[in-house]
Amino acid sequence: MNHDETAERMAPDELDYLRVERGLWSWLTTTDHKRVGILFLISTTIALFLGGMYAMLLRAELVQPARDLFDAAQYNRIFTLHGVIMVFLFMIPAIPSGFGNFLLPIMIGAKDVAFPRLNLASWYIYLFGAVWIFVSLFGGGIDTGWTFYTPYSTTSPSAVLPATIGVFIVGFASITTGLNLIVTVHTMRTKGMRWHDMPLFVWSIYATSVIQILATPVLAMAILLVAVDKALTIGIFDPAVGGDPVLFQHLFWFYSHPAVYIMILPAMAVISEIVCTFSRKNPASYRAIAYSSIGIAFTGFLAWGHHMFVAGIATIDAAIFGVLSMFVALFSAIKVFTWVATLYRGSIRFDTPLFYFFGFLFLFVFGGMTGVAVATQSLDVHWHDTYFVVAHFHFIMVGGTISAFLGALHYWLPKMFGRMYNEKAGFFGATAVFIGFFLTFFPQFLLGNAGMPRRYYSYPEQYQPLNMLSTGGAWLLGIAILFSVVNLLVALKWGRKASANPWNSRGYEWTTRSPPPKHNFVGTPVFNRGCYEYALNEDEADARVTTR
Amino acid sequence: MRASPLAEHFADLRTQRHALQFGMWLFLVTEVLMFGALFVLWATYYQNHAVDFRAAAQHNSLWRGSLNTYILVTSSFTAGIAVWAVQHDRSKLAMKLLGATFALGVIFLVIKATEYAGHFEHGIFPGRHYRFEELMTQGAVLFFSIYFVLTGLHVVHLLIGLGVLLWMMRNLRRRRFTAEYHAGLELGTMYWSLVDIIWLVIWPLLYLVR
């Protein structure tokens, strides 16, 4: 294979981005998008484990029906912190600010993002927001649920003020990443690269970025009002002074529904790349996947009222929101069918990233279909605030996004660090994650349908067997994720050195060295072939990638 | 010879300028959405408390609000002409115009301060601290809560804008803006225009609805 030669041609004679400067200070002051991406990956993975720890605590409480470890007040704080840390410190930033930052410029043949210093700033903004959330944590935490519903959030004695300030600040990290990546895609594509030449990963990250800049400011305002109200007791959502607490819900969910698409679109970005590489095929329909990303972003803004079916909104409004919510499923389904069609008659390579895709496929479809189910107002009246909804969104967020996140870590580890992980351990981890996940969350569909409410620390006796199963599954899931991440960390130090393109992918990021040099390529790369063009033979495919 | 303002990751100055302007437009969109949420808040509460809102707005100083509108619009004008001046190599004029913009912004703040003082004198405070005897309806309390949040946030943005103006004047003095390339100036004045435009929505919502 000529891949290493191609990589040398595209980026000769330079130290890679990891070795060109060394020491902590060079990392803390970096403007290299690759290093910023890695900084985000480290921070968000730490957040994943912290949020996961809270999950293990609450699952431990739920093994037995009665109160054993925590009382109601403590339990409320545990699930709230689980939600806040997971949503704002992991799910939103992990793939866009981690992998998006690292890969997007390379995939479009650029030297960096449009605003490298702003990129570094976005990491510090994230950290600053995280600090405020920790201040809240050490101040006793919050018990409002991650949704901060008023009037409880503005009157709760818990540490709401630092938590809301933290969420407000972290939102700006999200906005700046989105802004940076949008401008990068518009202005820094390499010579000859039109929109329809871009890798599908870029389309999905672009759609994510659009949601980030349009939706997050509304959350900023909603959460700022809660913070101001808590600090100055203004009462803007307080019924006693004429305020409307449901108005908070509208403002909150106007962001938080599109937010879930910020969480899934980057996962879909990863999946598109993995599917094509591991079936050695171009996508069954490039436009279907590209445009459906935009479709998801657009329709995602129309659906927020489905979180408020029982909040007192008019039945007709609820029905409209329900129907609009289902449109998103159309676009998600288009992607799922296109990915599967891509696999068909492909030359399948069974490695860990593909196993994460298989897990994703099954779990995301399950989660998505139950999403259509809860979008049906008449059914949601029964399921709202039960474990059915909890299972639905965890199927998507964990079964979907976290599977893709782990798959991405395995897929791009060789590119990022020039090392290959142990494949057997990777396979074992992927399987354990899937089994652990299913055992944790499938019982929750049954529990919710049987009527078990969410956010309760105790429950009637008859729910115990399924709860025990769920907690057992959670232990397996936690250990499996830890195991997989440790496998990757081991590879960083002791893994086999990876070649430029160990997966034999036609993706553009694989045409440069592993790890890439500081400016990704030398000069301006010119890609005279598509990034999924497997019909060409190896030599021809390599020859068509040049630099000037 | 002065170093080129071209950053190493951009292909050329034209692309750099285009990217910076596009980035600023996107940022302004986020600001509009953020204030937009507050406008939605106003509109929703107005629906239920129209009469009270109108009555409460009577106690806002119409002449001060309108004068402030005039001041901000003029300041946007002076900022815009400053860009024209730099494009035509008239840096001294540009400096005077930016100075005028800054001064107008400060005058706005002074007038705002007198407004707030007037309100506090009457016992008009946000939310639960409200104690204006003459008008004690729920709608009035809500109106003034929104008034203080909206104008308070606007003042924060105006203060940032003043900082941006100082930064631009400093760069202008150090000859960082040339007729060929002055993207920083364009971006800063765009931000100032946003401060003006937000006020143009605040003014009718809080002063003209009476």
Side-chain angles (χ1 to χ4, degrees):
Chain A
M1 294 297 148
N2 298 354
H3 299 310
D4 282 328
E5 284 174 25
T6 306
E8 276 306 311
R9 182 162 46 81
M10 295 301 286
D13 283 349
E14 275 183 43
L15 278 176
D16 64 59
Y17 78 100
L18 290 167
R19 283 173 249 299
V20 69
E21 284 172 305
R22 312 195 86 141
L24 185 62
W25 189 247
S26 74
W27 279 87
L28 296 179
T29 56
T30 186
T31 52
D32 181 351
H33 66 99
K34 298 182 289 298
R35 288 190 173 204
V36 173
I38 302 233
L39 289 172
F40 267 107
L41 282 178
I42 294 172
S43 321
T44 54
T45 303
I46 292 173
L48 172 66
F49 283 111
L50 187 61
M53 182 201 80
Y54 280 107
M56 301 309 293
L57 288 175
L58 68 89
R59 283 290 356 142
E61 171 60 41
L62 291 173
V63 169
Q64 305 247 44
R67 169 231 197 283
D68 17 31
L69 302 166
F70 308 110
D71 62 27
Q74 290 168 321
Y75 186 80
N76 291 350
R77 282 151 213 258
I78 290 171
F79 70 68
T80 301
L81 285 164
H82 167 70
V84 168
I85 292 172
M86 281 304 204
V87 169
F88 294 113
L89 297 184
F90 175 75
M91 294 293 300
I92 298 276
I95 301 179
S97 299
F99 291 103
N101 263 326
F102 192 104
L103 295 165
L104 191 143
I106 304 179
M107 286 181 169
I108 61 172
K111 291 196 171 70
D112 210 309
V113 291
F115 310 120
R117 287 174 302 183
L118 185 66
N119 208 10
L120 181 68
S122 75
W123 185 63
Y124 281 110
I125 294 170
Y126 168 90
L127 285 183
F128 189 49
V131 162
W132 278 97
I133 292 175
F134 290 137
V135 166
S136 165
L137 206 155
F138 289 120
I142 36 172
D143 60 355
T144 58
W146 81 276
T147 47
F148 292 109
Y149 274 15
T150 55
Y152 185 62
S153 59
T154 50
T155 55
S156 162
S158 61
V160 172
L161 188 57
T164 47
I165 290 173
V167 170
F168 179 79
I169 293 170
V170 165
F172 283 100
S174 186
I175 291 173
T176 45
T177 292
L179 190 153
N180 221 336
L181 294 180
I182 290 176
V183 178
T184 306
V185 172
H186 276 267
T187 61
M188 296 180 71
R189 295 190 308 281
T190 193
K191 196 159 173 48
M193 187 182 282
R194 300 159 304 178
W195 280 78
H196 289 80
D197 299 316
M198 297 193 310
L200 291 168
F201 179 90
V202 180
W203 277 92
S204 282
I205 296 289
Y206 179 84
T208 306
S209 303
V210 170
I211 305 178
Q212 282 176 303
I213 62 163
L214 294 180
T216 318
V218 178
L219 174 81
M221 189 49 67
I223 221 87
L224 183 68
L225 287 171
V226 170
V228 164
D229 201 333
K230 193 77 179 44
L232 305 174
T233 54
I234 291 187
I236 215 148
F237 298 116
D238 182 358
V241 289
D244 186 356
V246 177
L247 184 55
F248 171 79
Q249 293 185 30
H250 280 287
L251 290 175
F252 178 82
W253 286 113
F254 186 80
Y255 162 77
S256 297
H257 189 74
V260 314
Y261 301 110
I262 298 175
M263 301 182 220
I264 196 60
L265 273 170
M268 293 171 160
V270 169
I271 295 298
S272 296
E273 296 302 317
I274 288 178
V275 167
C276 292
T277 294
F278 288 87
S279 54
R280 290 191 65 74
K281 249 181 97 209
N282 54 354
S285 168
Y286 175 94
R287 276 165 209 249
I289 298 191
Y291 295 163
S292 58
S293 298
I294 309 296
I296 290 173
F298 178 71
T299 51
F301 274 97
L302 307 175
W304 80 91
H306 66 231
H307 298 273
M308 302 168 62
F309 280 162
V310 298
I313 65 178
T315 312
I316 182 67
D317 294 345
I320 294 171
F321 273 120
V323 170
L324 288 172
S325 304
M326 298 185 195
F327 281 124
V328 183
L330 281 174
F331 295 111
S332 303
I334 288 173
K335 282 187 190 280
V336 167
F337 284 117
T338 308
W339 289 322
V340 172
T342 304
L343 283 178
Y344 179 64
R345 285 179 167 257
S347 172
I348 311 292
R349 189 192 164 128
F350 288 96
D351 288 301
T352 302
L354 190 69
F355 292 121
Y356 276 112
F357 164 65
F358 289 147
F360 174 97
L361 187 65
F362 181 76
L363 300 173
F364 173 72
V365 169
F366 234 100
M369 290 197 299
T370 53
V372 176
V374 290
T376 311
Q377 187 193 172
S378 52
L379 299 178
D380 188 58
V381 167
H382 174 59
W383 288 322
H384 179 80
D385 269 347
T386 69
Y387 263 88
F388 194 89
V389 178
V390 173
H392 155 68
F393 63 70
H394 281 94
F395 261 74
I396 310 243
M397 297 207 287
V398 184
T401 301
I402 293 191
S403 292
F405 177 73
L406 292 169
L409 284 175
H410 287 79
Y411 180 49
W412 279 301
L413 186 87
K415 178 54 58 185
M416 291 178 166
F417 299 104
R419 299 276 184 173
M420 187 52 95
Y421 60 87
N422 180 303
E423 178 55 44
K424 277 208 180 68
F427 168 71
F428 181 73
T431 311
V433 162
F434 178 81
I435 296 173
F437 172 86
F438 198 77
L439 285 177
T440 309
F441 290 105
F442 186 77
Q444 294 185 9
F445 276 127
L446 304 174
L447 281 168
N449 196 45
M452 179 176 169
R454 64 187 284 200
R455 295 176 166 171
Y456 277 38
Y457 76 99
S458 76
Y459 50 81
E461 294 270 332
Q462 67 258 37
Y463 295 138
Q464 184 173 11
L466 287 173
N467 267 297
M468 291 180 78
L469 193 56
S470 181
T471 300
W475 276 96
L476 177 56
L477 177 62
I479 291 170
I481 294 179
L482 184 61
F483 176 82
S484 301
V485 170
V486 165
N487 183 32
L488 294 170
L489 291 173
V490 163
L492 283 186
K493 191 92 202 308
W494 294 289
R496 210 175 8 102
K497 269 202 151 62
S499 66
N501 189 357
W503 308 118
N504 236 335
S505 171
R506 292 285 153 88
Y508 294 146
E509 73 273 28
W510 301 103
T511 63
T512 188
R513 298 210 319 261
S514 295
K518 181 164 177 185
H519 291 118
N520 305 329
F521 303 94
V522 162
T524 308
V526 179
F527 302 114
N528 285 314
R529 60 161 174 80
C531 53
Y532 307 111
E533 214 168 328
Y534 290 92
L536 298 171
N537 68 39
E538 299 288 349
D539 293 337
E540 182 60 26
D542 281 341
R544 289 205 188 177
V545 172
T546 58
T547 179
R548 49 162 76 192
Chain B
M1 192 65 199
R2 158 133 257 127
S4 164
L6 179 64
E8 58 174 352
H9 59 283
F10 278 115
D12 51 51
L13 267 182
R14 203 181 120 261
T15 310
Q16 178 169 308
R17 180 171 169 265
H18 172 54
L20 284 168
Q21 287 199 332
F22 187 37
M24 180 50 87
W25 277 113
L26 287 176
F27 175 66
L28 297 186
V29 163
T30 68
E31 294 275 60
V32 166
L33 277 159
M34 209 174 70
F35 276 96
L38 280 176
F39 300 150
V40 164
L41 196 77
W42 180 95
T44 309
Y45 286 150
Y46 179 79
Q47 289 261 348
N48 299 333
H49 302 274
V51 172
D52 292 345
F53 266 35
R54 287 175 183 278
Q58 308 262 10
H59 295 276
N60 274 338
S61 170
L62 180 60
W63 76 264
R64 283 194 183 85
S66 307
L67 180 59
N68 266 345
T69 304
Y70 178 76
I71 285 169
L72 275 188
V73 173
T74 308
S75 73
S76 270
F77 180 72
T78 52
I81 301 295
V83 178
W84 175 90
V86 166
Q87 284 169 345
H88 290 82
D89 256 323
R90 300 180 61 178
S91 294
K92 283 214 189 71
L93 174 62
M95 188 59 99
K96 290 202 187 93
L97 286 164
L98 286 179
T101 310
F102 185 88
L104 287 168
V106 171
I107 294 173
F108 177 99
L109 282 179
V110 169
I111 296 177
K112 202 94 210 74
T114 64
E115 269 194 273
Y116 277 14
H119 283 129
F120 295 156
E121 222 182 281
H122 286 116
I124 297 176
F125 290 92
R128 294 199 203 98
H129 310 283
Y130 184 92
R131 46 171 204 271
F132 183 45
E133 303 295 332
E134 212 178 292
L135 190 61
M136 280 301 252
T137 58
Q138 277 194 342
V141 175
L142 271 176
F143 178 86
F144 282 110
S145 294
I146 296 174
Y147 168 86
F148 281 110
V149 173
L150 251 179
T151 57
L153 239 128
H154 179 259
V155 160
V156 168
H157 284 79
L158 192 137
L159 287 169
I160 294 171
L162 290 179
V164 169
L165 282 166
L166 284 177
W167 173 83
M168 288 194 291
M169 288 195 279
R170 184 166 144 255
N171 274 354
L172 187 59
R173 195 156 29 91
R174 294 181 183 188
R175 295 180 215 276
R176 297 259 164 83
F177 299 140
T178 62
E180 293 79 39
Y181 188 80
H182 45 273
L185 183 70
E186 290 168 321
L187 262 54
T189 51
M190 281 165 80
Y191 182 78
W192 186 259
S193 297
L194 174 85
V195 173
D196 174 27
I197 289 170
I198 298 290
W199 178 260
L200 284 176
V201 181
I202 292 179
W203 179 51
L205 293 188
L206 296 179
Y207 293 88
L208 299 185
V209 59
R210 45 176 55 218

